PDB file of all heavy atoms in Angstrom:
ATOM      1  N   LEU A 143      -5.100  -8.412   1.426  1.00  0.00           N
ATOM      2  CA  LEU A 143      -6.516  -8.377   1.100  1.00  0.00           C
ATOM      3  C   LEU A 143      -6.746  -7.393  -0.048  1.00  0.00           C
ATOM      4  O   LEU A 143      -5.948  -6.462  -0.246  1.00  0.00           O
ATOM      5  CB  LEU A 143      -7.328  -7.920   2.319  1.00  0.00           C
ATOM      6  CG  LEU A 143      -7.424  -8.897   3.480  1.00  0.00           C
ATOM      7  CD1 LEU A 143      -7.982  -8.166   4.708  1.00  0.00           C
ATOM      8  CD2 LEU A 143      -8.308 -10.088   3.118  1.00  0.00           C
ATOM      9  N   PRO A 144      -7.816  -7.562  -0.814  1.00  0.00           N
ATOM     10  CA  PRO A 144      -8.144  -6.559  -1.833  1.00  0.00           C
ATOM     11  C   PRO A 144      -8.298  -5.185  -1.175  1.00  0.00           C
ATOM     12  O   PRO A 144      -8.805  -5.090  -0.051  1.00  0.00           O
ATOM     13  CB  PRO A 144      -9.489  -7.042  -2.394  1.00  0.00           C
ATOM     14  CG  PRO A 144      -9.552  -8.493  -2.042  1.00  0.00           C
ATOM     15  CD  PRO A 144      -8.804  -8.655  -0.767  1.00  0.00           C
ATOM     16  N   HIS A 145      -7.862  -4.133  -1.847  1.00  0.00           N
ATOM     17  CA  HIS A 145      -7.944  -2.799  -1.253  1.00  0.00           C
ATOM     18  C   HIS A 145      -9.393  -2.348  -1.078  1.00  0.00           C
ATOM     19  O   HIS A 145      -9.759  -1.761  -0.066  1.00  0.00           O
ATOM     20  CB  HIS A 145      -7.200  -1.784  -2.117  1.00  0.00           C
ATOM     21  CG  HIS A 145      -5.724  -1.997  -2.107  1.00  0.00           C
ATOM     22  ND1 HIS A 145      -4.849  -1.244  -2.859  1.00  0.00           N
ATOM     23  CD2 HIS A 145      -4.956  -2.887  -1.426  1.00  0.00           C
ATOM     24  CE1 HIS A 145      -3.609  -1.674  -2.657  1.00  0.00           C
ATOM     25  NE2 HIS A 145      -3.653  -2.659  -1.789  1.00  0.00           N
ATOM     26  N   LYS A 146     -10.229  -2.620  -2.077  1.00  0.00           N
ATOM     27  CA  LYS A 146     -11.619  -2.150  -2.025  1.00  0.00           C
ATOM     28  C   LYS A 146     -12.576  -3.279  -2.377  1.00  0.00           C
ATOM     29  O   LYS A 146     -13.135  -3.931  -1.518  1.00  0.00           O
ATOM     30  CB  LYS A 146     -11.799  -0.957  -2.962  1.00  0.00           C
ATOM     31  CG  LYS A 146     -11.007   0.284  -2.540  1.00  0.00           C
ATOM     32  CD  LYS A 146     -11.219   1.436  -3.503  1.00  0.00           C
ATOM     33  CE  LYS A 146     -10.406   2.670  -3.087  1.00  0.00           C
ATOM     34  NZ  LYS A 146     -10.563   3.783  -4.052  1.00  0.00           N
ATOM     35  N   LYS A 147     -12.757  -3.515  -3.661  1.00  0.00           N
ATOM     36  CA  LYS A 147     -13.732  -4.497  -4.125  1.00  0.00           C
ATOM     37  C   LYS A 147     -13.364  -5.904  -3.647  1.00  0.00           C
ATOM     38  O   LYS A 147     -12.256  -6.373  -3.866  1.00  0.00           O
ATOM     39  CB  LYS A 147     -13.806  -4.470  -5.657  1.00  0.00           C
ATOM     40  CG  LYS A 147     -14.913  -5.331  -6.229  1.00  0.00           C
ATOM     41  CD  LYS A 147     -14.979  -5.203  -7.736  1.00  0.00           C
ATOM     42  CE  LYS A 147     -16.097  -6.065  -8.298  1.00  0.00           C
ATOM     43  NZ  LYS A 147     -16.176  -5.967  -9.786  1.00  0.00           N
ATOM     44  N   GLY A 148     -14.297  -6.546  -2.993  1.00  0.00           N
ATOM     45  CA  GLY A 148     -14.087  -7.912  -2.545  1.00  0.00           C
ATOM     46  C   GLY A 148     -13.462  -8.049  -1.170  1.00  0.00           C
ATOM     47  O   GLY A 148     -13.364  -9.161  -0.644  1.00  0.00           O
ATOM     48  N   ARG A 149     -13.060  -6.942  -0.566  1.00  0.00           N
ATOM     49  CA  ARG A 149     -12.375  -7.004   0.735  1.00  0.00           C
ATOM     50  C   ARG A 149     -13.306  -7.549   1.827  1.00  0.00           C
ATOM     51  O   ARG A 149     -12.940  -8.471   2.563  1.00  0.00           O
ATOM     52  CB  ARG A 149     -11.860  -5.608   1.102  1.00  0.00           C
ATOM     53  CG  ARG A 149     -10.959  -5.573   2.340  1.00  0.00           C
ATOM     54  CD  ARG A 149     -10.483  -4.156   2.597  1.00  0.00           C
ATOM     55  NE  ARG A 149      -9.660  -4.074   3.768  1.00  0.00           N
ATOM     56  CZ  ARG A 149      -8.321  -4.103   3.787  1.00  0.00           C
ATOM     57  NH1 ARG A 149      -7.657  -4.244   2.660  1.00  0.00           N
ATOM     58  NH2 ARG A 149      -7.645  -4.002   4.912  1.00  0.00           N
ATOM     59  N   LYS A 150     -14.511  -6.972   1.942  1.00  0.00           N
ATOM     60  CA  LYS A 150     -15.444  -7.408   2.974  1.00  0.00           C
ATOM     61  C   LYS A 150     -15.885  -8.858   2.743  1.00  0.00           C
ATOM     62  O   LYS A 150     -15.996  -9.640   3.692  1.00  0.00           O
ATOM     63  CB  LYS A 150     -16.661  -6.490   3.004  1.00  0.00           C
ATOM     64  CG  LYS A 150     -17.606  -6.786   4.171  1.00  0.00           C
ATOM     65  CD  LYS A 150     -18.759  -5.822   4.218  1.00  0.00           C
ATOM     66  CE  LYS A 150     -19.607  -6.051   5.459  1.00  0.00           C
ATOM     67  NZ  LYS A 150     -20.087  -7.434   5.564  1.00  0.00           N
ATOM     68  N   LYS A 151     -16.095  -9.208   1.486  1.00  0.00           N
ATOM     69  CA  LYS A 151     -16.507 -10.570   1.164  1.00  0.00           C
ATOM     70  C   LYS A 151     -15.436 -11.566   1.582  1.00  0.00           C
ATOM     71  O   LYS A 151     -15.736 -12.637   2.122  1.00  0.00           O
ATOM     72  CB  LYS A 151     -16.779 -10.682  -0.338  1.00  0.00           C
ATOM     73  CG  LYS A 151     -17.299 -12.035  -0.772  1.00  0.00           C
ATOM     74  CD  LYS A 151     -17.598 -12.054  -2.263  1.00  0.00           C
ATOM     75  CE  LYS A 151     -18.120 -13.415  -2.697  1.00  0.00           C
ATOM     76  NZ  LYS A 151     -18.397 -13.450  -4.156  1.00  0.00           N
ATOM     77  N   ARG A 152     -14.166 -11.214   1.351  1.00  0.00           N
ATOM     78  CA  ARG A 152     -13.058 -12.090   1.732  1.00  0.00           C
ATOM     79  C   ARG A 152     -13.006 -12.260   3.248  1.00  0.00           C
ATOM     80  O   ARG A 152     -12.825 -13.370   3.755  1.00  0.00           O
ATOM     81  CB  ARG A 152     -11.729 -11.506   1.220  1.00  0.00           C
ATOM     82  CG  ARG A 152     -10.500 -12.325   1.530  1.00  0.00           C
ATOM     83  CD  ARG A 152     -10.282 -13.442   0.528  1.00  0.00           C
ATOM     84  NE  ARG A 152      -9.961 -12.920  -0.777  1.00  0.00           N
ATOM     85  CZ  ARG A 152      -8.737 -12.552  -1.170  1.00  0.00           C
ATOM     86  NH1 ARG A 152      -7.722 -12.639  -0.331  1.00  0.00           N
ATOM     87  NH2 ARG A 152      -8.527 -12.118  -2.383  1.00  0.00           N
ATOM     88  N   LEU A 153     -13.167 -11.165   3.974  1.00  0.00           N
ATOM     89  CA  LEU A 153     -13.132 -11.234   5.434  1.00  0.00           C
ATOM     90  C   LEU A 153     -14.312 -12.025   5.988  1.00  0.00           C
ATOM     91  O   LEU A 153     -14.152 -12.831   6.915  1.00  0.00           O
ATOM     92  CB  LEU A 153     -13.108  -9.822   6.031  1.00  0.00           C
ATOM     93  CG  LEU A 153     -11.772  -9.079   5.972  1.00  0.00           C
ATOM     94  CD1 LEU A 153     -11.928  -7.647   6.413  1.00  0.00           C
ATOM     95  CD2 LEU A 153     -10.725  -9.796   6.812  1.00  0.00           C
TER      96      LEU A 153
END
Side-chain angles (χ1 to χ4, degrees):
L143 289 167
H145 291 177
K146 295 180 181 178
K147 187 177 180 181
R149 188 179 179 96
K150 187 177 186 304
K151 184 178 180 181
R152 181 83 67 84
L153 283 172

